[in-house]
Amino acid sequence: MRAESGIFKGLNAPMTMVSLGIVIVFLLFGVLAPEYSADLFGRLSGAIISGFKWYYILIVAGFLVFALYLLFSRLGDLKLGDDDQEPEFGYFAWFSMLFGAGMGIGLVFWSIAEPMFHFQGNPLMPEEAAGTAAAAQVAMRITYFHWGLHPWAIYVIVGLSLAFFSYRRKLPLSIRSVLYPILGERIYGFWGNAADVLAVFGTVFGIATSLGFGVVQMNTGLNQLFGMPIGTGYQILLIAIVSAIATVSVVSGVGKGVRILSELNLWLSIAILAFFLFFGPTSYLLNLFVQALGDYLLNIVPLSFWTNAGAGPAGTAGWQASWTAFYWGWWISWAPFVGMFIARISRGRTVREFILGVLLVPTLLAIFWLTVFGGTALYIELWDVGGIVEAVNEDVTLALYQTIGAMDAGAMSVLFAGVATLLIATYFITSSDSGTLVITTLLSLGDMEPPTIHRVIWGLGEGLVAAVLLLSGGLAALQSAAIIAALPFSVIMLFMCWGLVRGLSEEYELMNRVERERERQERQPWQP
């Protein structure tokens, strides 16, 4: 029920109290027992990977197949809103917000580091091929796989479900609404509250994971540019500063701060891409993009279902647990946040337009980004001065700055190292403010303008969670938190698929009946 007065005014008070309670208990646990909490997170995530890696791989492949089915089915003609509803945002603003919310910090963090790790060895190539041009192609294939169609298919499922049930069926913009075909009016009771609390939990930890990655790399960038010392204390200070800015942004709303920062992200991204293309190995990058994209599409089916079963018991851990299973857990933990945010900005688009926009455009942008950044680093390592592998192995956050420094760009290298650090900061802000908006929308039962005080509380709270995760185990704790948060929400996503097909089918049949009745009346002879 909504509270009508006090601090919980406008919110579902029991759900808010439970959510706050979980976060407060976690914060106290991490602060008072950091070593024990780090060990616990590690053991929990290890158990999940050992027992459910096959499950993660199967359902994420299934989500992509399901999204493609909806794209080409007759259901794609339905509009997410009334039949005469026009989109709230133009394509440029829409794509800017899509890309910034869905990838952001992580793509900047891993765009060079991940290809360089796979370049040194992976289960998909023989050991003797490591460090060769052939290894570079395999490295890009794997990186495309982790950042391509599969994560965006996850976002399609959640975003499309929320947009349909909210804008077409007029239910609250909340995770509980996608369960309406199953629960009916009971979504306003215990089970609906439980679904939304799970989404809040997943959002908090998914955002905290990305914020942790981002702030570590920001610390490295500021060290390279201005000599700021690298350490957890400075990283927590950066979290505090950027969380405060993000909170101001989210208080201003989607149409102002969030949209403006998202568009700034895209312009900064275009600027740094142009720098890499102009000063980097342009011809090699364009050739690599075409070749590696074809290689990715050729291998996407076997990659989607590969579980490394041939490794025996070792196949439940090791490389794939650290990469593919972690990524799938990370994307699922982000799904409530990104899905709701995408739904929030997609009113008025058709189902087919939604899927094409969310599935294909950000995927192509991400693949091009990975090619330009990762391909430049691979070229430097294979045919130029080298040193990128050593930098990655020493400190993963050095990869981006080492690559920029190795390019023959003179003073421009220093300038664009600064641009890269600013880009990380703006992605940090947009991830945080978008996540805050989603959490407060959930807790206010779908209110698109949730109470300001709660935007402030949760905006700062996300930063606190990221800080505690850094204190209690650094990046390993962040990765563990993402995997743990993803498991329960993945079950809700399976129900989403069933409910979405049922809801879309019912709406399509209703639309057809109305159309047939209109045609029947038009065929009847006119009588005065």
Side-chain angles (χ1 to χ4, degrees):
M1 64 179 178
R2 285 177 181 262
E4 299 302 329
S5 62
I7 192 171
F8 295 125
K9 183 177 181 180
L11 300 179
N12 181 304
M15 193 169 69
T16 302
M17 293 173 66
V18 169
S19 301
L20 281 171
I22 291 173
V23 173
I24 290 170
V25 168
F26 165 78
L27 291 173
L28 290 174
F29 183 48
V31 169
L32 297 176
E35 293 183 2
Y36 179 75
S37 61
D39 179 64
L40 179 62
F41 290 147
R43 285 190 283 113
L44 280 175
S45 64
I48 289 172
I49 290 299
S50 296
F52 294 96
K53 186 185 73 173
W54 63 271
Y55 166 75
Y56 275 3
I57 291 185
L58 181 62
I59 63 166
V60 172
F63 291 150
L64 177 57
V65 172
F66 181 72
L68 292 174
Y69 158 72
L70 291 179
L71 174 64
F72 294 108
S73 76
R74 60 181 185 174
L75 304 177
D77 296 327
L78 289 170
K79 182 166 280 193
L80 301 173
D82 299 329
D83 289 335
D84 59 350
Q85 182 81 54
E86 293 297 323
E88 182 179 359
F89 300 100
Y91 282 117
F92 183 81
W94 190 48
F95 292 143
S96 299
M97 289 188 280
L98 282 178
F99 190 70
M103 293 296 176
I105 296 172
L107 193 59
V108 177
F109 188 94
W110 290 110
S111 57
I112 292 174
E114 182 172 350
M116 298 312 296
F117 275 121
H118 302 325
F119 176 67
Q120 299 175 69
N122 62 75
L124 301 181
M125 67 182 190
E127 292 184 9
E128 59 270 18
T132 65
Q137 179 166 313
V138 175
M140 294 310 300
R141 178 199 309 165
I142 296 170
T143 308
Y144 288 172
F145 174 57
H146 290 153
W147 292 87
L149 292 170
H150 289 75
W152 287 101
I154 293 170
Y155 300 154
V156 163
I157 303 304
V158 179
L160 185 59
S161 299
L162 288 166
F164 171 75
F165 284 103
S166 177
Y167 302 141
R168 191 81 183 187
R169 290 295 182 87
K170 311 305 180 185
L171 292 169
L173 185 61
S174 182
I175 297 298
R176 68 180 67 224
S177 297
V178 305
L179 302 177
Y180 190 85
I182 302 168
L183 299 176
E185 293 300 317
R186 287 176 293 171
I187 64 170
Y188 298 107
F190 171 80
W191 291 110
N193 288 344
D196 282 346
V197 168
L198 273 178
V200 169
F201 181 75
T203 298
V204 168
F205 283 91
I207 291 294
T209 303
S210 285
L211 298 189
F213 284 135
V215 79
V216 170
Q217 192 161 39
M218 277 181 64
N219 193 183
T220 298
L222 293 172
N223 172 264
Q224 297 283 310
L225 292 168
F226 306 111
M228 172 186 276
I230 294 176
T232 304
Y234 290 96
Q235 291 161 9
I236 291 174
L237 175 62
L238 289 172
I239 287 176
I241 294 171
V242 179
S243 294
I245 298 172
T247 301
V248 173
S249 171
V250 77
V251 167
S252 71
V254 174
K256 296 180 180 178
V258 178
R259 178 185 60 81
I260 292 168
L261 282 170
S262 295
E263 292 182 358
L264 175 61
N265 284 342
L266 194 57
W267 284 118
L268 288 173
S269 299
I270 291 171
I272 199 167
L273 280 172
F275 166 75
F276 268 79
L277 284 170
F278 185 81
F279 289 101
T282 308
S283 179
Y284 171 76
L285 295 177
L286 295 176
N287 281 304
L288 178 65
F289 174 71
V290 174
Q291 180 172 304
L293 178 61
D295 182 60
Y296 163 62
L297 294 175
L298 183 65
N299 288 280
I300 191 169
V301 173
L303 282 174
S304 298
F305 296 94
W306 182 70
T307 61
N308 202 20
T316 61
W319 184 91
Q320 198 176 33
S322 299
W323 289 104
T324 306
F326 159 66
Y327 271 126
W328 287 183
W330 192 13
W331 302 138
I332 292 172
S333 71
W334 264 53
F337 144 56
V338 179
M340 180 169 287
F341 184 75
I342 291 173
R344 171 67 182 81
I345 62 175
S346 300
R347 186 205 297 262
R349 303 198 181 275
T350 65
V351 170
R352 184 169 292 110
E353 183 183 17
F354 180 96
I355 296 173
L356 278 172
V358 176
L359 191 63
L360 297 184
V361 175
T363 294
L364 287 173
L365 286 173
I367 286 175
F368 188 67
W369 180 285
L370 291 164
T371 302
V372 171
F373 280 67
T376 299
L378 289 167
Y379 182 91
I380 291 170
E381 191 63 38
L382 284 167
W383 297 294
D384 208 329
V385 296
I388 311 300
V389 166
E390 289 79 2
V392 169
N393 293 339
E394 177 189 345
D395 181 354
V396 67
T397 63
L398 287 172
L400 175 61
Y401 299 100
Q402 184 74 19
T403 301
I404 292 175
M407 297 167 67
D408 186 19
M412 294 293 287
S413 293
V414 178
L415 173 64
F416 276 89
V419 171
T421 304
L422 177 61
L423 182 62
I424 294 165
T426 56
Y427 273 134
F428 190 135
I429 295 168
T430 51
S431 295
S432 181
D433 59 19
S434 302
T436 300
L437 188 66
V438 165
I439 291 170
T440 51
T441 300
L442 283 169
L443 295 177
S444 58
L445 291 180
D447 186 353
M448 294 187 187
E449 294 296 333
T452 299
I453 182 62
H454 286 273
R455 300 190 213 184
V456 174
I457 291 172
W458 285 99
L460 299 177
E462 289 169 8
L464 278 173
V465 172
V468 169
L469 282 170
L470 282 173
L471 286 170
S472 62
L475 295 182
L478 294 169
Q479 292 179 335
S480 299
I483 292 171
I484 294 166
L487 184 60
F489 190 74
S490 68
V491 178
I492 293 178
M493 288 190 65
L494 294 175
F495 286 112
M496 278 185 188
C497 294
W498 182 80
L500 185 59
V501 167
R502 181 172 172 179
L504 287 170
S505 299
E506 290 173 355
E507 196 70 22
Y508 185 83
E509 292 302 321
L510 176 63
M511 187 174 67
N512 276 350
R513 286 200 300 271
V514 171
E515 181 65 21
R516 287 195 298 269
E517 178 61 22
R518 185 185 64 80
E519 292 177 353
R520 186 186 67 81
Q521 292 179 357
E522 290 177 350
R523 287 196 300 268
Q524 288 182 346
W526 179 81
Q527 296 181 4

